[in-house]
Amino acid sequence: MPDARRRAVVAALVGVVGASLGIAGAGHVYLREWRRAVAWFTFVFGAALVLLSTFADPATVTVDSLPREVLFPVVGLLVLSALDAYRVGRRPRGRNANGEPTCPVCGGELDRNLDFCPWCATELEWYTVDG
């Protein structure tokens, strides 16, 4: 199995395990996509809070008594988070969506005139990024 596909499958599995525990963005944490993981977690948590306050009494609700209007959208968002982790994992490492090189450590855009990442100061070897 190619490296990108294996990485994507593991990210999706970690995302599914995280989703089963109610934690969105777990697959993104595995991929070290920190901002995306925080964004997914915040979005799903916020949506759950809004849905709970709209369709149930947050003070008296339990896991067993969650209304369908809350449960189904939250589960759907958790599944979308795992699918997004798979999609992000399929991207080739060291490249952004436009095919330009990115830092293998922080993911920041690189300047080919520099031998280091201007965002995290990681020393770069261009032959490995271009390869």
Side-chain angles (χ1 to χ4, degrees):
M1 184 181 307
D3 184 44
R5 185 160 183 230
R6 178 179 301 127
R7 194 169 162 248
V9 169
V10 171
L13 289 175
V14 170
V16 168
V17 169
S20 69
L21 297 173
I23 303 169
H28 299 92
V29 169
Y30 168 77
L31 295 171
R32 296 184 180 158
E33 294 281 339
W34 308 113
R35 286 183 229 146
R36 204 171 190 111
V38 169
W40 270 107
F41 181 80
T42 305
F43 176 66
V44 173
F45 187 72
L49 287 178
V50 168
L51 290 169
L52 269 174
S53 66
T54 304
F55 294 108
D57 181 18
T60 61
V61 73
T62 63
V63 175
D64 296 332
S65 67
L66 277 176
R68 290 182 180 171
E69 293 85 3
V70 176
L71 187 63
F72 290 154
V74 170
V75 169
L77 289 174
L78 290 169
V79 168
L80 286 176
S81 172
L83 289 175
D84 184 58
Y86 177 78
R87 186 186 64 79
V88 170
R90 289 291 304 221
R91 279 192 286 185
R93 290 176 113 175
R95 301 276 177 190
N96 64 9
N98 299 331
E100 298 170 357
T102 59
C103 176
V105 175
C106 73
E109 294 180 16
L110 296 176
D111 182 0
R112 288 195 174 269
N113 297 327
L114 301 175
D115 290 336
F116 62 92
C117 173
W119 304 102
C120 69
T122 301
E123 291 188 35
L124 300 171
E125 296 179 22
W126 283 104
Y127 65 89
T128 59
V129 175
D130 290 335

